[in-house]
Coordinates of all heavy atoms in Angstrom, one line a residue:
G162 N 125.6 130.1 104.0 CA 125.2 131.5 104.0 C 126.2 132.4 104.5 O 125.8 133.5 105.1
S163 N 127.4 132.2 104.2 CA 128.5 133.0 104.7 C 128.9 134.0 103.6 O 128.8 133.7 102.4 CB 129.7 132.1 105.0 OG 130.9 132.9 105.3
P164 N 129.4 135.2 104.0 CA 130.0 136.1 103.0 C 131.2 135.5 102.3 O 131.6 136.0 101.2 CB 130.3 137.4 103.8 CG 130.4 136.9 105.2 CD 129.5 135.7 105.3
V165 N 131.8 134.5 102.9 CA 133.0 133.8 102.3 C 132.4 132.9 101.2 O 131.7 132.0 101.6 CB 133.8 133.1 103.3 CG1 135.0 132.4 102.6 CG2 134.3 134.1 104.4
F166 N 132.8 133.0 100.0 CA 132.2 132.2 98.9 C 132.3 130.7 99.1 O 131.4 129.9 98.8 CB 132.7 132.6 97.5 CG 132.0 132.0 96.4 CD1 130.8 132.3 96.0 CD2 132.7 130.9 95.7 CE1 130.1 131.7 95.0 CE2 132.0 130.3 94.6 CZ 130.7 130.7 94.3
D167 N 133.5 130.2 99.5 CA 133.7 128.8 99.6 C 133.6 128.3 101.1 O 134.2 127.3 101.5 CB 135.1 128.4 99.1 CG 136.2 129.1 99.8 OD1 135.9 130.0 100.7 OD2 137.4 128.8 99.6
A168 N 132.8 129.0 101.9 CA 132.6 128.6 103.3 C 131.9 127.2 103.3 O 131.1 126.8 102.4 CB 131.7 129.6 104.0
K169 N 132.2 126.4 104.3 CA 131.7 125.0 104.4 C 131.1 124.8 105.8 O 131.4 125.5 106.8 CB 132.9 124.1 104.2 CG 133.6 124.2 102.9 CD 134.8 123.2 102.8 CE 135.4 123.3 101.4 NZ 136.0 124.6 101.1
T170 N 130.3 123.7 105.9 CA 129.7 123.4 107.1 C 129.6 121.8 107.2 O 129.9 121.1 106.2 CB 128.2 124.0 107.2 OG1 127.7 123.7 108.6 CG2 127.3 123.3 106.2
S171 N 129.3 121.3 108.4 CA 129.3 119.9 108.6 C 128.0 119.5 109.5 O 127.4 120.3 110.2 CB 130.5 119.5 109.4 OG 131.7 119.8 108.7
L172 N 127.7 118.2 109.4 CA 126.6 117.6 110.2 C 126.9 116.2 110.6 O 127.8 115.5 109.9 CB 125.3 117.6 109.3 CG 124.5 118.9 109.1 CD1 123.4 118.6 108.2 CD2 124.0 119.5 110.4
D173 N 126.3 115.7 111.7 CA 126.5 114.4 112.1 C 125.2 113.8 112.6 O 124.3 114.5 113.0 CB 127.5 114.3 113.3 CG 128.9 114.7 112.9 OD1 129.2 116.0 113.0 OD2 129.7 113.9 112.5
H174 N 125.1 112.5 112.5 CA 123.9 111.8 113.2 C 124.3 110.4 113.5 O 125.1 109.8 112.8 CB 122.7 111.9 112.3 CG 122.7 111.1 111.1 ND1 122.6 109.7 111.1 CD2 122.7 111.4 109.8 CE1 122.6 109.3 109.9 NE2 122.7 110.3 109.0
Q175 N 123.7 109.8 114.5 CA 123.8 108.4 114.8 C 122.5 107.9 115.5 O 121.9 108.6 116.2 CB 125.0 108.0 115.6 CG 125.1 108.7 117.0 CD 126.4 108.2 117.7 OE1 126.7 107.1 117.6 NE2 127.1 109.2 118.3
N176 N 122.1 106.7 115.1 CA 120.9 106.1 115.6 C 121.0 104.6 115.9 O 121.8 104.0 115.2 CB 119.7 106.4 114.6 CG 119.5 107.8 114.3 OD1 120.0 108.3 113.3 ND2 118.8 108.5 115.2
S177 N 120.2 104.1 116.8 CA 120.1 102.7 117.0 C 118.7 102.2 116.9 O 117.8 103.0 117.2 CB 120.7 102.3 118.4 OG 122.1 102.7 118.5
N178 N 118.5 101.0 116.6 CA 117.1 100.5 116.4 C 117.0 99.0 116.5 O 118.0 98.3 116.2 CB 116.6 100.9 115.0 CG 115.2 100.4 114.7 OD1 114.2 101.0 115.2 ND2 115.1 99.3 113.9
V179 N 115.9 98.6 117.1 CA 115.6 97.1 117.1 C 114.3 96.9 116.3 O 113.3 97.5 116.5 CB 115.3 96.6 118.5 CG1 114.9 95.2 118.6 CG2 116.6 96.9 119.4
S180 N 114.4 96.1 115.3 CA 113.3 95.7 114.4 C 113.1 94.2 114.4 O 114.0 93.5 114.9 CB 113.5 96.3 113.0 OG 114.8 95.8 112.5
G181 N 112.0 93.8 113.9 CA 111.7 92.4 113.9 C 110.4 92.0 113.2 O 109.7 92.9 112.7
R182 N 110.1 90.7 113.2 CA 108.9 90.2 112.6 C 108.5 88.9 113.2 O 109.3 88.2 113.8 CB 109.1 90.0 111.1 CG 110.1 88.8 110.7 CD 110.3 88.7 109.3 NE 111.2 87.6 109.0 CZ 110.8 86.4 108.7 NH1 109.5 86.1 108.6 NH2 111.7 85.4 108.4
I183 N 107.2 88.6 113.1 CA 106.6 87.4 113.5 C 105.5 87.0 112.6 O 104.7 87.9 112.2 CB 106.2 87.4 115.0 CG1 105.8 86.0 115.5 CG2 105.1 88.4 115.2 CD1 105.6 86.0 117.0
G184 N 105.4 85.7 112.3 CA 104.3 85.3 111.4 C 104.0 83.9 111.5 O 104.8 83.1 112.0
L185 N 102.9 83.5 110.9 CA 102.4 82.1 110.8 C 102.2 81.7 109.4 O 101.5 82.4 108.6 CB 101.2 81.9 111.7 CG 101.3 81.8 113.2 CD1 99.9 81.7 113.8 CD2 102.1 80.5 113.6
D186 N 102.6 80.5 109.0 CA 102.3 79.9 107.8 C 101.5 78.6 108.0 O 101.9 77.8 108.8 CB 103.6 79.5 107.0 CG 104.3 80.7 106.5 OD1 103.8 81.8 106.5 OD2 105.5 80.5 106.1
F187 N 100.3 78.5 107.4 CA 99.4 77.4 107.5 C 99.2 76.7 106.2 O 98.7 77.3 105.3 CB 98.1 77.7 108.1 CG 97.1 76.6 108.3 CD1 97.4 75.5 109.0 CD2 95.9 76.6 107.6 CE1 96.6 74.4 109.1 CE2 95.0 75.6 107.7 CZ 95.4 74.5 108.5
Q188 N 99.7 75.5 106.1 CA 99.6 74.7 104.8 C 98.3 74.0 104.9 O 98.2 72.8 105.4 CB 100.8 73.7 104.7 CG 100.9 73.2 103.3 CD 101.6 74.2 102.3 OE1 102.6 74.8 102.7 NE2 101.0 74.3 101.1
A189 N 97.2 74.6 104.4 CA 95.9 74.1 104.4 C 95.7 72.8 103.6 O 95.0 71.9 104.0 CB 94.8 75.1 104.0
S190 N 96.4 72.7 102.5 CA 96.5 71.5 101.7 C 97.8 71.6 101.0 O 98.6 72.5 101.1 CB 95.3 71.4 100.8 OG 95.4 72.4 99.8
R191 N 98.1 70.6 100.1 CA 99.4 70.6 99.4 C 99.5 71.8 98.5 O 100.6 72.2 98.3 CB 99.5 69.3 98.6 CG 100.9 69.0 98.0 CD 100.9 67.8 97.2 NE 100.2 67.9 96.0 CZ 100.2 67.0 95.0 NH1 101.0 65.9 95.2 NH2 99.5 67.1 93.9
N192 N 98.4 72.3 98.0 CA 98.4 73.4 97.1 C 97.9 74.7 97.6 O 97.7 75.7 96.8 CB 97.7 73.0 95.8 CG 98.3 71.8 95.1 OD1 99.5 71.7 95.0 ND2 97.5 70.9 94.7
I193 N 97.6 74.8 98.9 CA 97.1 76.1 99.5 C 97.9 76.4 100.7 O 97.9 75.7 101.7 CB 95.6 75.9 99.8 CG1 94.8 75.6 98.6 CG2 95.1 77.2 100.5 CD1 93.3 75.4 98.8
L194 N 98.5 77.6 100.7 CA 99.2 78.2 101.8 C 98.6 79.4 102.3 O 98.4 80.4 101.5 CB 100.7 78.4 101.4 CG 101.5 79.2 102.5 CD1 101.8 78.3 103.7 CD2 102.9 79.7 101.9
L195 N 98.2 79.5 103.5 CA 97.7 80.7 104.2 C 98.7 81.3 105.1 O 99.4 80.5 105.8 CB 96.4 80.4 104.9 CG 95.3 79.6 104.2 CD1 94.1 79.3 105.1 CD2 94.8 80.4 103.0
Y196 N 98.8 82.6 105.1 CA 99.9 83.2 106.0 C 99.4 84.5 106.6 O 98.5 85.2 106.0 CB 101.2 83.4 105.2 CG 101.1 84.4 104.1 CD1 101.4 85.8 104.4 CD2 100.7 84.1 102.8 CE1 101.3 86.7 103.4 CE2 100.6 85.0 101.8 CZ 101.0 86.3 102.1 OH 100.9 87.3 101.1
G197 N 100.0 84.9 107.7 CA 99.8 86.2 108.3 C 101.1 86.6 109.0 O 101.9 85.8 109.5
S198 N 101.4 87.9 109.0 CA 102.6 88.4 109.6 C 102.5 89.8 110.1 O 101.7 90.6 109.7 CB 103.8 88.3 108.6 OG 103.6 89.3 107.5
Y199 N 103.4 90.1 111.1 CA 103.5 91.5 111.6 C 105.0 91.7 111.6 O 105.8 90.9 112.0 CB 102.9 91.6 113.0 CG 103.4 92.8 113.8 CD1 102.8 94.1 113.5 CD2 104.5 92.8 114.7 CE1 103.3 95.2 114.1 CE2 104.9 93.9 115.3 CZ 104.3 95.1 115.1 OH 104.8 96.3 115.7
S200 N 105.4 92.9 111.2 CA 106.8 93.3 111.2 C 107.0 94.8 111.5 O 106.1 95.6 111.3 CB 107.5 92.9 109.9 OG 106.9 93.6 108.8
R201 N 108.2 95.1 112.0 CA 108.6 96.5 112.2 C 109.8 96.7 111.4 O 110.8 96.0 111.6 CB 108.9 96.8 113.7 CG 107.6 96.7 114.6 CD 108.0 97.1 116.0 NE 108.6 98.4 116.1 CZ 109.1 98.9 117.3 NH1 109.1 98.2 118.4 NH2 109.6 100.1 117.3
G202 N 109.8 97.7 110.5 CA 110.9 98.0 109.7 C 111.5 99.3 110.0 O 111.0 100.2 110.8
Y203 N 112.8 99.5 109.5 CA 113.6 100.7 109.9 C 114.4 101.1 108.7 O 114.9 100.3 108.0 CB 114.5 100.3 111.1 CG 115.7 101.2 111.3 CD1 115.5 102.4 112.0 CD2 116.9 100.8 110.8 CE1 116.6 103.2 112.2 CE2 118.0 101.6 111.1 CZ 117.9 102.8 111.8 OH 119.0 103.6 112.0
R204 N 114.4 102.4 108.5 CA 115.3 103.0 107.5 C 116.1 104.1 108.2 O 115.5 105.0 108.9 CB 114.5 103.6 106.4 CG 115.3 104.3 105.3 CD 114.4 104.9 104.2 NE 115.1 105.4 103.1 CZ 114.5 106.1 102.1 NH1 113.2 106.3 102.1 NH2 115.3 106.6 101.1
G205 N 117.4 104.1 108.1 CA 118.2 105.1 108.8 C 118.0 106.5 108.5 O 117.4 106.9 107.4
A206 N 118.5 107.4 109.3 CA 118.5 108.8 109.1 C 119.2 109.2 107.8 O 120.1 108.4 107.3 CB 119.0 109.6 110.3
A207 N 119.0 110.4 107.2 CA 119.6 110.7 106.0 C 119.8 112.2 105.9 O 119.0 113.0 106.4 CB 118.7 110.3 104.8
F208 N 121.0 112.6 105.3 CA 121.2 114.0 104.9 C 120.5 114.3 103.6 O 120.2 113.5 102.8 CB 122.7 114.2 104.7 CG 123.6 113.9 105.9 CD1 124.5 112.9 105.9 CD2 123.4 114.6 107.1 CE1 125.3 112.6 107.0 CE2 124.2 114.3 108.2 CZ 125.2 113.3 108.1
N209 N 120.3 115.6 103.4 CA 119.6 116.1 102.2 C 120.6 116.6 101.2 O 121.2 117.7 101.3 CB 118.6 117.2 102.5 CG 117.9 117.7 101.3 OD1 117.8 117.0 100.3 ND2 117.4 118.9 101.4
A210 N 120.9 115.8 100.2 CA 121.9 116.1 99.1 C 121.3 117.1 98.1 O 122.0 117.6 97.3 CB 122.3 114.9 98.4
Q211 N 119.9 117.4 98.3 CA 119.3 118.3 97.4 C 119.3 119.8 97.9 O 118.5 120.6 97.4 CB 117.8 117.9 97.1 CG 117.7 116.5 96.5 CD 118.3 116.5 95.1 OE1 118.0 117.3 94.3 NE2 119.1 115.5 94.9
A212 N 120.2 120.1 98.9 CA 120.2 121.4 99.4 C 121.1 122.3 98.5 O 122.3 122.0 98.4 CB 120.8 121.3 100.9
F213 N 120.5 123.3 98.0 CA 121.2 124.2 97.1 C 121.1 125.7 97.4 O 122.0 126.5 97.3 CB 120.8 124.0 95.7 CG 121.2 122.7 95.1 CD1 120.2 121.7 95.0 CD2 122.4 122.5 94.6 CE1 120.6 120.5 94.4 CE2 122.8 121.3 94.0 CZ 121.9 120.3 94.0
A214 N 119.8 126.1 97.9 CA 119.5 127.5 97.8 C 119.5 128.2 99.2 O 119.7 129.4 99.3 CB 118.1 127.7 97.2
D215 N 119.3 127.5 100.3 CA 119.0 128.1 101.6 C 119.5 127.2 102.7 O 119.4 125.9 102.6 CB 117.5 128.4 101.8 CG 117.3 129.3 103.0 OD1 117.3 130.5 102.8 OD2 117.0 128.7 104.0
P216 N 120.1 127.7 103.8 CA 120.5 126.9 104.9 C 119.4 126.0 105.5 O 119.7 124.9 106.0 CB 121.0 127.9 105.9 CG 121.4 129.1 105.1 CD 120.5 129.1 104.0
S217 N 118.2 126.4 105.4 CA 117.1 125.6 105.9 C 116.9 124.2 105.2 O 116.3 123.3 105.7 CB 115.8 126.3 105.8 OG 115.4 126.6 104.5
E218 N 117.5 124.1 104.0 CA 117.4 122.9 103.2 C 118.4 121.8 103.7 O 118.2 120.6 103.5 CB 117.7 123.1 101.7 CG 116.7 124.0 101.0 CD 117.2 124.2 99.5 OE1 118.1 125.0 99.3 OE2 116.6 123.5 98.7
L219 N 119.4 122.2 104.4 CA 120.4 121.3 104.8 C 119.9 120.6 106.1 O 120.3 121.0 107.2 CB 121.8 121.9 105.1 CG 123.0 121.0 105.3 CD1 123.1 120.0 104.2 CD2 124.2 121.7 105.5
T220 N 119.1 119.6 105.9 CA 118.4 118.9 107.0 C 118.9 117.5 107.2 O 119.5 116.9 106.3 CB 116.9 118.9 106.8 OG1 116.7 118.3 105.5 CG2 116.3 120.3 106.8
V221 N 118.7 116.9 108.4 CA 118.8 115.5 108.7 C 117.5 114.9 108.9 O 116.8 115.3 109.9 CB 119.8 115.3 109.9 CG1 119.9 113.8 110.1 CG2 121.1 115.9 109.6
A222 N 117.0 114.1 108.0 CA 115.7 113.5 108.2 C 115.8 112.4 109.3 O 116.8 111.6 109.3 CB 115.2 112.9 106.9
K223 N 114.9 112.3 110.2 CA 114.9 111.3 111.3 C 114.8 109.9 110.7 O 114.3 109.7 109.5 CB 113.8 111.5 112.2 CG 113.8 112.9 112.9 CD 112.6 113.1 113.8 CE 112.5 114.4 114.4 NZ 111.3 114.6 115.2
P224 N 115.1 108.9 111.4 CA 114.9 107.5 110.9 C 113.5 107.2 110.6 O 112.6 107.7 111.3 CB 115.5 106.6 112.1 CG 116.4 107.5 112.8 CD 115.9 108.9 112.7
E225 N 113.2 106.5 109.6 CA 111.9 106.1 109.2 C 111.5 104.7 109.8 O 112.3 103.8 109.7 CB 111.8 106.1 107.7 CG 110.5 105.8 107.1 CD 110.6 105.8 105.5 OE1 110.8 106.9 105.0 OE2 110.5 104.7 104.9
K226 N 110.3 104.6 110.3 CA 109.9 103.3 110.9 C 108.5 103.0 110.4 O 107.7 103.9 110.1 CB 109.9 103.4 112.4 CG 111.3 103.6 113.0 CD 111.2 103.7 114.5 CE 112.6 104.0 115.1 NZ 112.6 104.1 116.6
V227 N 108.2 101.7 110.2 CA 107.0 101.3 109.7 C 106.5 100.0 110.4 O 107.3 99.1 110.7 CB 107.0 101.0 108.2 CG1 108.0 99.9 107.8 CG2 105.7 100.7 107.6
E228 N 105.2 99.9 110.8 CA 104.6 98.7 111.3 C 103.8 98.1 110.1 O 102.9 98.8 109.6 CB 103.7 99.0 112.5 CG 104.5 99.4 113.7 CD 103.6 99.5 114.9 OE1 102.5 100.2 114.8 OE2 103.9 99.0 116.0
S229 N 104.0 96.9 109.8 CA 103.4 96.2 108.7 C 102.6 95.0 109.1 O 103.1 94.2 109.9 CB 104.5 95.8 107.7 OG 103.9 95.0 106.7
Y230 N 101.3 95.0 108.7 CA 100.5 93.8 108.9 C 100.1 93.3 107.5 O 99.7 94.0 106.6 CB 99.2 94.2 109.6 CG 99.4 94.9 111.0 CD1 99.7 96.3 111.0 CD2 99.4 94.2 112.1 CE1 99.9 97.0 112.2 CE2 99.6 94.9 113.4 CZ 99.9 96.2 113.4 OH 100.1 96.9 114.6
E231 N 100.2 91.9 107.4 CA 99.9 91.3 106.1 C 99.3 90.0 106.3 O 99.7 89.2 107.1 CB 101.1 91.2 105.2 CG 100.8 90.7 103.8 CD 102.0 90.7 102.8 OE1 103.0 91.5 103.1 OE2 101.9 90.1 101.8
V232 N 98.2 89.7 105.5 CA 97.6 88.3 105.4 C 97.4 88.0 104.0 O 97.3 88.9 103.1 CB 96.3 88.3 106.2 CG1 96.4 88.5 107.7 CG2 95.3 89.3 105.6
G233 N 97.5 86.7 103.7 CA 97.4 86.3 102.3 C 97.3 84.8 102.1 O 97.3 84.0 103.0
A234 N 97.1 84.5 100.8 CA 97.0 83.1 100.4 C 97.8 82.9 99.1 O 97.7 83.7 98.2 CB 95.6 82.6 100.3
K235 N 98.5 81.8 99.0 CA 99.2 81.3 97.8 C 98.6 80.0 97.4 O 98.7 79.0 98.2 CB 100.7 81.3 98.0 CG 101.3 82.6 98.3 CD 102.8 82.5 98.5 CE 103.5 83.8 98.9 NZ 103.4 84.8 97.8
T236 N 98.0 79.9 96.2 CA 97.3 78.7 95.8 C 97.7 78.2 94.4 O 98.0 79.0 93.5 CB 95.8 78.9 95.8 OG1 95.4 79.8 94.8 CG2 95.4 79.5 97.2
D237 N 97.7 76.9 94.2 CA 97.8 76.2 92.9 C 96.6 75.3 92.8 O 96.5 74.4 93.6 CB 99.1 75.4 92.8 CG 100.3 76.3 92.5 OD1 100.2 77.2 91.7 OD2 101.4 76.0 93.1
L238 N 95.7 75.7 91.9 CA 94.4 75.0 91.8 C 94.2 74.2 90.6 O 94.9 74.5 89.6 CB 93.3 76.1 91.9 CG 93.3 77.0 93.2 CD1 92.3 78.1 93.1 CD2 93.2 76.2 94.5
F239 N 93.2 73.3 90.6 CA 92.9 72.5 89.4 C 94.1 71.8 88.8 O 94.4 72.0 87.6 CB 92.1 73.4 88.4 CG 91.0 74.2 89.0 CD1 91.1 75.6 88.9 CD2 89.9 73.6 89.5 CE1 90.1 76.3 89.5 CE2 88.9 74.4 90.1 CZ 89.0 75.7 90.1
N240 N 94.8 71.1 89.6 CA 96.0 70.3 89.2 C 97.0 71.3 88.6 O 97.7 71.0 87.6 CB 95.6 69.3 88.2 CG 96.7 68.2 88.0 OD1 97.4 68.0 89.0 ND2 96.7 67.6 86.9
R241 N 97.2 72.4 89.3 CA 98.1 73.5 89.0 C 97.9 74.1 87.6 O 98.8 74.7 87.0 CB 99.6 72.9 89.0 CG 100.0 72.4 90.4 CD 101.4 72.1 90.5 NE 101.8 71.8 91.9 CZ 103.0 71.6 92.3 NH1 104.0 71.6 91.4 NH2 103.3 71.3 93.5
I242 N 96.7 74.1 87.1 CA 96.3 74.8 85.9 C 96.2 76.3 86.3 O 96.6 77.2 85.5 CB 95.0 74.3 85.3 CG1 95.2 72.9 84.8 CG2 94.5 75.2 84.2 CD1 94.0 72.2 84.3

Side-chain angles (χ1 to χ4, degrees):
S163 170
V165 180
F166 185 74
D167 60 350
K169 300 175 177 63
T170 188
S171 300
L172 287 174
D173 297 88
H174 70 73
Q175 59 178 319
N176 302 97
S177 297
N178 179 75
V179 177
S180 54
R182 67 183 180 95
I183 188 168
L185 281 173
D186 290 347
F187 176 60
Q188 197 76 46
S190 69
R191 190 179 69 170
N192 297 319
I193 299 178
L194 172 69
L195 307 177
Y196 67 90
S198 67
Y199 164 79
S200 62
R201 291 183 60 188
Y203 161 81
R204 180 184 184 184
F208 300 117
N209 181 20
Q211 300 295 313
F213 291 99
D215 189 86
S217 64
E218 293 180 286
L219 190 57
T220 53
V221 177
K223 299 175 184 177
E225 181 179 291
K226 298 180 181 180
V227 62
E228 288 186 316
S229 169
Y230 305 84
E231 183 173 344
V232 294
K235 297 180 182 293
T236 67
D237 282 319
L238 306 174
F239 311 116
N240 199 26
R241 297 193 175 183
I242 292 176

